[in-house]
Amino acid sequence: MTLPTGARLRRASLARCVAALSLAGVIVPLSLTGCKGDEKDDLGEAGETDPGDTGTEETGGELGPWEFDDVLGASNSDDDDISGKRDWLEVPVDTDDDVVDWVMPADSFTGFAEGDQVELVLAGEQPEFVRFWHGNSPVLGHDVSEVRTTYVFTPGSEDEHFSVEFDGFNHGYTLTINHLDADGEIVATDEVVVRSAPLIMNHHLQPAEHLWVVDVGTNSAMINSYATALGDKFSPVAGNTVGYDVWIQDEIEFATQVTPTNRINIIIDSIRDRGLNSFPNQIVQPNIFKQTWGVPGTETSFDSFGNLEATPPITVDGIEYPFGRIYFGKTPQWGINDVLADFLHAQTVQAPVEIDTTWLCVGHVDEFASFVPDPSSAKGFKVLLGDIDAGYALLESMDPSTALPRYAADHGFATVGDIVDDANLRALNDDVRDDYLNPIWNQFKQEFALDDSDIISVPSIFEPVNGCGGAVVALIPGMANLIVANVEGEPTKLFIPDPFLRANNDDQASDPLVSSFAASMPDGIESIFVDDWNTYHVALGEVHCGTNVLRTPIANWWEVATHLLD
């Protein structure tokens, strides 16, 4: 939604403060800010108070300043008072920190004569998604029986406080504040922005706060890798509490709403509704709430959130996207459900890009693409993209007689030569490269303003699988399907599927793909190769599919993204 005509966000002067969020037994630091709008320029225009105006006898003397702060808030959809209801459905209470305290200072009413009043006029689409309280009464926006767009009152001698709350994301309005004389004529006027924050998805350059993996026993190698590397930043989820559903990335996606005084974590809960459907309830608490877009029972594999990602900050055709751009698998016939896709497009600040993933059996963008931090790069990142030619080049550089025990057991290829010499497999991969991967490379370059120097090729080979109508899955574990664990104050760690492209499964040092992949990563990154084979790879997923990450926001939309709202 765009701002109504004439609306603008004022630059805020910010004071830093710190709060803490307890999440799953872990204290998660949050950086919060308070803001106060800057004073307006003395324009002396009609309808605005000139600070040099000394008033008249009719107005009762010199007028006070008539300028007010913008109202920036978040969706009041959590449950701060732990009543079992969304806070929007209840009268605001002291514990409700998602309600904005909007103040008209007492000195604004200096010079008010007898009979003078204040008129508030709310303009914008869907005013039912905002509510102004004055005292204990709703006076503007949504009320139980009506939607109000005008409110007139007589101010007292003290500050006038309004509690403002929103229901939903990225709703924008203007509020006109008029000083009326006893005859209803406008003495002074001001206009401020009223807006609920957009939902903003996380990207891989944001610091990782906490990670989760479902522990089902068979994935102990992966659990141990995380626990050893991350300590208390990692929590295993007991498999018996979630129906032994290991695909935690597919169930939820974390996003945020940030305001000048608060941060809300939103759990985008998918409509897949399998065992992990109960997991969000384990971490929901004040300032963390879940919401679902779409109709349960209509889900396809495309509605799992390995198919929902965001780039780091980018600039495309001169337009800055300070929170990156969302991308997901979707075509006119197939893909992520329309309700969620339309909602994400409506947030505007991350301008989603739709990718054809119908050639993949599972159909997720994380099967062939990922972004990793690269502080030495001008853009701050590198993108990893699946590359079939690089896959065959690597295999052809190896001794064809090299035994591949894992591939022999689960893919029917006993040696490197068996893969290289399979003409049908080669023809299939040539088609996948020409028809899908090459166009995706070109689309990434165009939509995300990438050049070849921004891309790291990930050796990839795909194979068909029964029951997928000719769609393909990764033969060599999809190494772009990784996790970026960039915990603040620590070296960035990548958790990468072990490709097992070697004769001795226990000897990672002998694996040419392990060596070449680690060498291709940006300086300062620690590559941790995880055995995800039995629980994830043979079940058509990898490390990223089985992990979820909460991340810290690193920018304020009202400071850096207003050009994407107007």
Side-chain angles (χ1 to χ4, degrees):
M1 179 181 294
T2 59
L3 288 175
T5 302
R8 74 279 179 271
L9 289 174
R10 300 197 197 109
R11 183 177 301 162
S13 60
L14 299 177
R16 295 289 176 186
C17 56
V18 177
L21 170 68
S22 174
L23 180 59
V26 177
I27 299 300
V28 180
L30 307 181
S31 295
L32 304 179
T33 61
C35 79
K36 179 174 174 58
D38 289 345
E39 294 184 356
K40 295 180 184 175
D41 294 333
D42 178 9
L43 299 178
E45 295 179 355
E48 292 203 9
T49 302
D50 184 337
D53 186 354
T54 59
T56 66
E57 291 182 3
E58 286 78 10
T59 60
E62 183 176 350
L63 295 176
W66 197 253
E67 56 185 24
F68 305 96
D69 289 344
D70 293 324
V71 186
L72 307 179
S75 182
N76 199 13
S77 297
D78 61 352
D79 185 14
D80 288 322
D81 61 352
I82 316 179
S83 68
K85 295 182 180 179
R86 290 197 309 133
D87 290 337
W88 170 261
L89 301 176
E90 301 179 300
V91 175
V93 295
D94 290 341
T95 56
D96 193 343
D97 60 2
D98 308 317
V99 174
V100 180
D101 180 25
W102 184 67
V103 182
M104 299 184 70
D107 63 357
S108 302
F109 312 125
T110 300
F112 266 50
E114 184 176 353
D116 284 12
Q117 292 184 302
V118 175
E119 178 187 49
L120 304 181
V121 181
L122 183 69
E125 297 179 7
Q126 298 179 307
E128 65 270 21
F129 292 114
V130 63
R131 184 187 293 130
F132 281 69
W133 296 80
H134 196 196
N136 294 320
S137 300
V139 296
L140 272 180
H142 181 273
D143 195 358
V144 174
S145 59
E146 61 182 319
V147 176
R148 302 175 182 177
T149 57
T150 302
Y151 174 56
V152 178
F153 70 97
T154 301
S157 59
E158 304 293 330
D159 293 349
E160 294 287 348
H161 288 260
F162 291 79
S163 297
V164 186
E165 58 181 336
F166 297 90
D167 183 20
F169 307 85
N170 206 27
H171 294 297
Y173 314 92
T174 54
L175 181 69
T176 302
I177 307 113
N178 295 322
H179 171 183
L180 304 180
D181 65 16
D183 295 324
E185 297 296 323
I186 295 176
V187 177
T189 188
D190 190 26
E191 185 179 273
V192 301
V193 169
V194 178
R195 178 174 283 278
S196 60
L199 177 144
I200 297 174
M201 274 183 46
N202 296 332
H203 59 75
H204 289 176
L205 266 59
Q206 294 173 221
E209 293 180 357
H210 204 76
L211 293 85
W212 293 266
V213 172
V214 178
D215 185 354
V216 293
T218 58
N219 60 344
S220 59
M222 188 157 126
I223 295 287
N224 292 338
S225 293
Y226 278 117
T228 300
L230 300 177
D232 63 4
K233 299 295 184 183
F234 167 72
S235 294
V237 178
N240 61 359
T241 67
V242 293
Y244 297 94
D245 179 3
V246 298
W247 309 111
I248 196 168
Q249 177 63 44
D250 288 344
E251 181 62 36
I252 64 171
E253 184 74 46
F254 282 108
T256 58
Q257 264 196 318
V258 177
T259 76
T261 59
N262 203 9
R263 162 187 165 184
I264 307 295
N265 290 301
I266 299 105
I267 301 169
I268 306 175
D269 190 16
S270 78
I271 59 175
R272 70 189 284 270
D273 287 357
R274 290 162 64 178
L276 274 159
N277 190 47
S278 64
F279 171 67
N281 296 328
Q282 298 184 26
I283 56 177
V284 164
Q285 57 181 276
N287 291 333
I288 304 177
F289 71 88
K290 68 174 182 176
Q291 189 162 337
T292 300
W293 287 266
V295 181
T298 65
E299 72 278 0
T300 68
S301 178
F302 301 105
D303 293 307
S304 295
F305 292 152
N307 192 34
L308 180 59
E309 294 295 321
T311 77
I314 53 176
T315 299
V316 183
D317 295 332
I319 300 174
E320 294 183 6
Y321 295 93
F323 301 99
R325 297 186 70 179
I326 292 169
Y327 60 101
F328 47 75
K330 188 170 179 61
T331 68
Q333 293 78 32
W334 296 100
I336 201 167
N337 78 84
D338 289 339
V339 175
L340 179 56
D342 291 347
F343 169 79
L344 294 172
H345 279 287
Q347 302 311 293
T348 68
V349 294
Q350 290 181 294
V353 174
E354 299 179 356
I355 310 289
D356 183 0
T357 58
T358 57
W359 54 282
L360 290 161
C361 178
V362 178
H364 295 177
V365 291
D366 69 351
E367 297 179 68
F368 57 81
S370 187
F371 290 79
V372 299
D374 181 8
S376 67
S377 166
K379 294 176 181 173
F381 64 81
K382 288 289 192 288
V383 58
L384 279 56
L385 289 177
D387 186 337
I388 287 171
D389 287 343
Y392 274 105
L394 177 72
L395 292 173
E396 289 166 351
S397 72
M398 298 174 65
D399 183 341
S401 65
T402 302
L404 302 175
R406 290 286 178 100
Y407 294 81
D410 295 308
H411 293 283
F413 296 103
T415 67
V416 167
D418 289 343
I419 299 176
V420 171
D421 295 337
D422 189 315
N424 290 332
L425 184 68
R426 174 84 70 153
L428 171 70
N429 275 272
D430 286 347
D431 289 343
V432 168
R433 177 197 62 207
D434 295 342
D435 296 342
Y436 299 105
L437 270 180
N438 283 352
I440 285 172
W441 274 58
N442 291 333
Q443 186 178 10
F444 267 58
K445 288 179 178 180
Q446 178 180 350
E447 299 284 9
F448 305 143
L450 305 174
D451 56 42
D452 288 339
S453 67
D454 300 317
I455 299 172
I456 296 174
S457 293
V458 178
S460 304
I461 304 291
F462 297 91
E463 67 175 349
V465 63
N466 291 333
C468 272
V472 299
V473 298
L475 171 58
I476 297 175
M479 298 175 76
N481 194 309
L482 54 74
I483 284 294
V484 178
N486 44 348
V487 175
E488 203 149 23
E490 299 182 12
T492 295
K493 298 177 175 67
L494 301 184
F495 292 85
I496 308 151
D498 188 331
F500 287 100
L501 209 59
R502 56 187 184 268
N504 183 350
N505 289 335
D506 297 327
D507 184 13
Q508 284 188 349
S510 68
D511 193 313
L513 185 47
V514 166
S515 301
S516 64
F517 188 96
S520 70
M521 290 300 102
D523 291 341
I525 282 183
E526 180 182 349
S527 296
I528 300 172
F529 293 90
V530 177
D531 181 357
D532 75 339
W533 190 280
N534 290 324
T535 304
Y536 301 95
H537 174 67
V538 297
L540 313 186
E542 306 290 358
V543 171
H544 184 262
C545 306
T547 312
N548 219 304
V549 187
L550 179 70
R551 298 185 182 275
T552 306
I554 55 177
N556 296 324
W557 59 269
W558 61 92
E559 295 176 327
V560 299
T562 57
H563 62 288
L564 299 171
L565 299 173
D566 294 337

